[in-house]
Amino acid sequence: MRLVERAMIALLGAWCVIGIAHTAQSLLGPAGWAAGRPGTDAGFVGMPLPGSTVVVAIGRLLEVTPDLEDPALVILPLEIGPSAVLYINYQLAHTRYPRRVDVVGASAPTPAVNPYSTIVVAEEVRLQAPWRMTATLAGFSVWERPSL
Amino acid sequence: MTAIGMVVGLVALWAGGASALSLARVRDLTLTDRLVADFASGAVVLAFVGTMAIVLGLQLSLGAIYLGLFLLIGSAFKWGRSGGAVVARERDPFALGILALVGMLLTAVGVATTSDRLWWDGWAIWALKARVLFLEGTLSPVFLDPAGPYVFTHLDYPLLVPLVDWWGFRHLGEVLPQAASFLGFFWFLLIPVLLWGALRDRLGERIAALAALAAAACWPIAFYATGGTADVVIALALLGAIVELDRAFGQEDRSALWRAGMFLALGAAAKNEGLALAVIGSCIALVAPGGIARASRLPALLLPLVVAAPWLLFTRAIGLESDVLVALPSVAEGGTRAWILAGALLRQFTGTPWQPLPILALLGVVAALRQSDRSLSVGWTVLTAYAIVLCGVYASAPQDLPWLISTTLPRVFGALAPATLFLALASGLPERRGQAAPDRP
């Protein structure tokens, strides 16, 4: 057998060994089997922490006001970085569809609230009347505007 | 019940694809090749039918699709042709041992999909559109509005992956992120199967099994596949097209040319990059020297464009455009971007688990140049041209390059790996045709 052929087979074998080790390592890590990560981290894959817990909490709060017609606004606190804000936006857009959920970070300009009937903000934030708080969970509160 | 629904859905898709290929009298003969080509063909048929329904403003109907499916299957039984029976062959125990390892590895990755593991684009683009299709029966107007709130879902992307996910959701009766992950895994599963089938006759069972193991152990592809993205479909389409083009030009096999067209159609129906791949593959296969007359190649090579055309024309007509080819940068800026991209590619392919691949590819290219194997040259040309086009897109896209590199490079260029592996091994290792009992009559 020529040297080149031996080299190719050796490289193929090396790729198998490296690949198996890498796959095994990855499966045991947080992006692998569910068993390898805490149960509270559902939706963790690619999610910058603490994104998953925020998504779960906001999802539950939005269930308190299940008005599918009006969009909801979520204003995330400053400590959640822009990358996580984007991912939370994507996950909520998916999990809450057909309800439209717009997510912004606290550092971004707050959009006009007119189109929204529901707003989720950090628990310490207080909105003025006619908004009224209906529930709190995991550091967030959900506010509703009574129908006119 | 959940698992049974998914199995029924996959089998139905497979049967539809098998019938379509059988009716066209281009169904392959080996079991493993059939498994892959039939499923890919079924997905292409579903994508075409589903896209046409959406474009025409009709509701997607499982019942109507099944009616068409039964007609297709019935027609295939009456008029179709699947070639001869598969002939049993002696097995290499060493290869069987490697295949057992492939099975274990794939099982482990498959088990991982039972947990919630969609990744960014899985949530934001592919599985979201599938969810909309499930709930609305079509794409609601906000998903066709370039000024609407869902622009981040890349409204212009083709719909094969969402439609296959929708198919899975409808058979489950609910929207399960895990189902989208599993379907991504299923696409991934087909890659080692295809590599095994493509290399077994050419290089022997041991090398084919090792190649299948290398593909199955490619975590970056598995990661994004189970994350619900469409890149794994491009990886399969590229590999399938190159394998079939090799058969078409090496054995002057017209049915292989049709299957190559079908794999290119799979890419074109899955992602915008796939459309570029289809154009490149079709053009190169049309002009390449070979025994099949150029005029008679044309119908097979137009198939991907026919499949892609309805969605392409519809989206352009309503103002949905790709966000990567909007303006060309200056030469200096393009050069800088190309330099940064080259560095990123070097880092990626000298990092884990890719390290052996560039050397394998280099040895394969050198061997191919020395042998001047015409059929493999077609494959190398398609692969190279596609890679160059991808580099051109990165160099010219308006997006922030470091962001583009960090979010897309491993999956977009990782999709080239299985086809590169096939071409490198086929070019660099001696053929063993005739040593194993042939299973083609």
Side-chain angles (χ1 to χ4, degrees), chain A residues 58-80:
Chain A
I58 295 173
R60 288 194 184 143
L61 285 173
L62 290 173
E63 284 169 7
V64 175
T65 60
D67 185 350
L68 300 180
E69 297 297 319
D70 293 320
L73 175 66
V74 176
I75 303 173
L76 295 171
L78 266 177
E79 60 263 28
I80 297 182

Side-chain angles (χ1 to χ4, degrees), chain B residues 337-394:
Chain B
R337 288 177 71 98
W339 181 251
I340 295 170
L341 174 67
L345 283 172
L346 190 66
R347 277 193 300 279
Q348 172 167 325
F349 287 106
T350 52
T352 305
W354 305 109
Q355 293 96 334
L357 183 62
I359 313 171
L360 263 175
L362 188 67
L363 293 176
V365 168
V366 171
L369 289 173
R370 290 177 66 178
Q371 289 170 4
S372 67
D373 183 317
R374 197 172 56 192
S375 59
L376 288 172
S377 300
V378 175
W380 278 114
T381 311
V382 171
L383 181 71
T384 308
Y386 179 55
I388 290 170
V389 167
L390 287 180
C391 290
V393 170
Y394 277 82

Side-chain angles (χ1 to χ4, degrees), chain B residues 223-248:
Chain B
F223 175 82
Y224 293 108
T226 55
T229 73
D231 305 281
V232 66
V233 185
I234 300 296
L236 182 71
L238 178 61
L239 173 64
I242 283 176
V243 166
E244 296 296 357
L245 284 174
D246 172 51
R247 287 174 182 157

Side-chain angles (χ1 to χ4, degrees), chain B residues 309-320:
Chain B
W311 181 249
L312 196 64
L313 295 174
F314 174 70
T315 50
R316 292 331 179 247
I318 62 172
L320 303 181

Side-chain angles (χ1 to χ4, degrees), chain B residues 6-74:
Chain B
M6 183 60 88
V7 169
V8 169
L10 291 175
V11 169
L13 215 51
W14 178 83
S19 303
L21 291 180
S22 174
L23 264 181
R25 301 180 171 231
V26 297
R27 195 159 180 241
D28 200 66
L29 299 179
T30 69
L31 190 62
T32 47
D33 292 347
R34 278 181 188 175
L35 182 71
V36 180
D38 290 350
F39 185 80
S41 172
V44 170
V45 171
L46 176 66
F48 184 72
V49 170
T51 302
M52 284 300 289
I54 292 166
V55 165
L56 295 173
L58 304 173
Q59 289 275 306
L60 291 171
S61 160
L62 201 63
I65 293 176
Y66 261 102
L67 187 65
L69 204 59
F70 287 134
L71 284 173
L72 194 63
I73 293 168

Side-chain angles (χ1 to χ4, degrees), chain B residues 391-406:
Chain B
C391 290
V393 170
Y394 277 82
S396 64
Q399 285 85 1
D400 176 52
L401 190 59
W403 172 83
L404 204 57
I405 285 171
S406 68

